[in-house]
């Protein structure tokens, strides 16, 4: 089996890698939290979360807080599993394991 078999293209981009990293250590993150932590634009966050949602790696919940819309993101069980496999593969690639 190739050392790179578990490297997942869905996590190739630094923004998607960052989104998943945030969601692995937090129960959820809202749009503004991701934007601030990752230093990304609205468009970046929107397109990359859409990509991860399409792969079923994250779940999106939209609600209103008062009159303001609020979007929260959660890592799914599949997303957590695939991200762990991805990180393990990267560690093997650089010789950490």
């Amino acid at each position: 089996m190739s050392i790179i078999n578990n490297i997942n293209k869905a996590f190739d981009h630094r923004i998607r890698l960052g989104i998943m990293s945030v969601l692995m250590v937090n129960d959820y993150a809202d749009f503004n939290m991701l934007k601030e932590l990752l230093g990304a634009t609205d468009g970046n966050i929107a397109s990359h979360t859409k990509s991860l949602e399409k792969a079923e790696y994250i779940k999106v919940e939209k609600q209103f807080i008062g009159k303001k819309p609020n979007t929260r993101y959660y890592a799914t069980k599949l997303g957590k599993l695939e991200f762990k496999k991805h990180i393990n593969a990267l560690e093997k690639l650089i010789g950490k394991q």
Side-chain angles (χ1 to χ4, degrees):
M1 183 159 126
S2 172
I3 195 168
I4 61 170
N5 277 356
N6 285 323
I7 292 181
N8 190 324
K9 294 284 285 172
F11 308 125
D12 255 4
H13 194 278
R14 67 181 184 85
I15 299 293
R16 288 191 296 268
L17 186 69
I19 291 167
M20 286 305 296
S21 296
V22 169
L23 294 177
M24 291 297 284
V25 297
N26 293 284
D27 291 335
Y28 67 88
D30 68 20
F31 188 90
N32 288 329
M33 178 183 180
L34 289 176
K35 186 177 161 184
E36 184 179 314
L37 286 172
L38 302 175
T41 65
D42 287 4
N44 280 147
I45 297 297
S47 68
H48 291 295
T49 53
K50 198 167 291 194
S51 226
L52 292 168
E53 181 184 21
K54 186 177 178 184
E56 298 182 355
Y57 293 160
I58 65 169
K59 175 178 82 165
V60 180
E61 181 183 277
K62 294 179 183 262
Q63 61 185 4
F64 280 88
I65 297 176
K67 292 187 178 187
K68 288 187 171 191
N70 181 269
T71 305
R72 287 184 176 178
Y73 303 96
Y74 303 82
T76 63
K77 285 182 184 179
L78 175 63
K80 289 178 180 182
L81 175 69
E82 292 300 317
F83 192 70
K84 285 177 186 175
K85 284 171 35 179
H86 178 74
I87 295 302
N88 288 337
L90 290 175
E91 287 175 344
K92 284 180 183 171
L93 187 63
I94 62 172
K96 290 246 180 190
Q97 289 185 346

